[in-house]
Amino acid sequence: MTNPYLLDLPAVVSFSGGRTSGYMLRKILDAHGGQPEGMVVSFQNTGLEHAGTYEFVERIAKEWSVDIVWLEYDLDADNKPTHRIVTPSTASKNGEPYDRLISKKKMLSHPRARLCTGNLKIATLQSYLRTLPAFQDGWTNAVGLRADEP
């Protein structure tokens, strides 16, 4: 049996900043002997994360020697969705990406319109990956879901 944490490259590990997501990342890094070329680890910031989440993401990057790309939802000059690369010190901490999304969509997220996940997380990551030459023909995406998540 092959190791399920040994990903085909290019690959992206969507790191939420939570403990179970951290567990998944650790298992993937161990399977690869560290972060290989062609593997992006990303954290999509909504600007509404708990302060402890930001600290945990920074701690993981430092202690595990992993390059974590911090991304945020943004709008370009034509008011079209795009991404912004930020750092822990420049990351939004007051909901700015979420506010941009609400202004763009003219509605709030709710169970039937999961604007947050689809736009602030998935579309933002896809926007970034499409700028990387190695990811032009597709990629493997590792996403951890807790057993209690719908």
Side-chain angles (χ1 to χ4, degrees):
M1 176 180 236
T2 61
N3 186 335
Y5 296 103
L6 195 56
L7 306 178
D8 291 332
L9 301 175
V12 60
V13 179
S14 296
F15 178 47
S16 72
R19 289 179 296 180
T20 54
S21 185
Y23 176 82
M24 176 188 71
L25 175 58
R26 180 73 263 163
K27 297 293 275 184
I28 291 169
L29 293 173
D30 289 347
H32 286 272
Q35 185 177 8
E37 183 77 25
M39 179 181 288
V40 170
V41 178
S42 69
F43 170 69
Q44 289 82 255
N45 179 36
T46 66
L48 296 171
E49 321 300 341
H50 186 279
T53 300
Y54 297 121
E55 293 167 9
F56 185 64
V57 174
E58 286 187 88
R59 192 172 127 223
I60 292 299
K62 182 179 179 183
E63 292 181 13
W64 294 355
S65 299
V66 60
D67 180 29
I68 299 174
V69 179
W70 287 51
L71 300 170
E72 291 183 358
Y73 173 90
D74 202 6
L75 297 169
D76 66 15
D78 296 321
N79 203 36
K80 293 186 179 171
T82 187
H83 67 278
R84 175 191 330 214
I85 300 171
V86 297
T87 65
S89 61
T90 63
S92 301
K93 304 284 186 352
N94 295 305
E96 295 90 333
Y98 191 69
D99 289 344
R100 282 191 286 276
L101 177 62
I102 292 168
S103 294
K104 170 75 176 166
K105 297 290 186 180
K106 307 280 190 255
M107 64 186 290
L108 295 173
S109 187
H110 56 83
R112 289 190 161 190
R114 297 184 64 203
L115 297 179
C116 183
T117 300
N119 293 274
L120 299 181
K121 303 286 185 174
I122 297 169
T124 297
L125 176 59
Q126 289 174 345
S127 172
Y128 170 70
L129 293 175
R130 288 187 186 115
T131 68
L132 305 176
F135 287 72
Q136 294 306 300
D137 294 325
W139 57 83
T140 302
N141 192 358
V143 180
L145 299 175
R146 293 188 325 252
D148 64 336
E149 289 181 306

